[in-house]
Amino acid sequence: AFGRTLLIWQGGVNKQGKYRPPYDASSIILSVAESLAYNDASLGAWNSEVGEEPPPRAREYIDFFHAHIDLLRDTTPISDVAVLRSFVSIEFNPAQTIPSTILFEQTLIQHKFAFGIILDAQLKDLGRYKVLVLANQDALSDQQIAQIRQFVEAGGGLVVTGETSLLNEWRRKRGSTISARSHNI
């Protein structure tokens, strides 16, 4: 969402509490595949205390990565669905907002929908998406609602769950005349 690389690597901890990569081949392959998918031209760090080589199947992924690095660098994710993580909703109502958002994202993953996570400032750039998901994003400003309305009026799809937009950015309840329904959300 910020246009920055975030290194992802799945691993375990040995009996001494020291970080170690997973040892079974399927876990290593999954870790390498996730690194390829999420790390923007970086496999992260291969951590091996005893100089072990990755298993041959993982080596295939690593070799693919090195052979195609030019195709993986400076890319832009392509996804039709955007999931908003509103700062005010996530930060000040985490017990309800975070599970709702994560569960919606998990549903998208399980049904193989490519999606992007967007933050408040990216509501102005919704044109690259076909659908916007507001999974229990309870606090939205009038400006955010106007940006969302503009997206929908331009033909964008909208999926809303929970108590989305029932509060303003100061977490005050909207009056009955300024509810989510009157904003067409």
Side-chain angles (χ1 to χ4, degrees):
F2 287 115
R4 300 287 183 252
T5 299
L6 174 65
L7 296 178
I8 304 293
W9 181 260
Q10 303 295 327
V13 177
N14 67 13
K15 291 178 182 174
Q16 291 79 33
K18 204 168 186 184
Y19 173 79
R20 304 263 328 232
Y23 286 104
D24 64 282
S26 64
S27 295
I28 292 173
I29 291 167
L30 177 61
S31 295
V32 173
E34 287 177 344
S35 291
L36 282 170
Y38 298 118
N39 287 342
D40 188 32
S42 172
L43 281 177
W46 182 264
N47 183 7
S48 178
E49 287 182 14
V50 292
E52 303 158 346
E53 279 295 312
R57 184 76 173 112
R59 172 55 63 194
E60 290 176 30
Y61 283 84
I62 294 167
D63 292 343
F64 173 88
F65 170 79
H66 289 293
H68 297 88
I69 188 70
D70 290 339
L71 299 174
L72 302 170
R73 189 178 293 129
D74 299 322
T75 59
T76 301
I78 298 173
S79 53
D80 292 335
V81 179
V83 178
L84 176 66
R85 287 186 170 231
S86 167
F87 175 80
V88 175
S89 297
I90 296 280
E91 188 67 24
F92 298 110
N93 188 17
Q96 271 70 50
T97 304
I98 292 173
S100 297
T101 304
I102 289 173
L103 287 172
F104 204 102
E105 292 167 355
Q106 183 64 32
T107 301
L108 292 170
I109 291 167
Q110 288 176 322
H111 291 280
K112 298 179 171 74
F113 282 95
F115 67 94
I117 295 172
I118 64 167
L119 307 175
D120 300 316
Q122 290 148 325
L123 282 172
K124 65 181 183 243
D125 301 322
L126 289 175
R128 62 184 273 205
Y129 300 102
K130 293 181 181 177
V131 176
L132 174 63
V133 174
L134 305 173
N136 202 19
Q137 301 300 299
D138 63 346
L140 297 173
S141 70
D142 290 341
Q143 179 184 1
Q144 289 173 310
I145 290 173
Q147 291 169 320
I148 294 165
R149 182 185 296 129
Q150 183 179 19
F151 169 71
V152 172
E153 288 171 353
L158 183 63
V159 178
V160 177
T161 69
E163 299 181 354
T164 292
S165 79
L166 294 181
L167 306 174
N168 67 18
E169 70 272 26
W170 297 103
R171 301 204 51 79
R172 293 189 179 145
K173 284 189 176 185
R174 294 184 186 281
S176 60
T177 60
I178 310 178
S179 69
R181 288 204 171 124
S182 69
H183 280 78
N184 294 324
I185 290 189

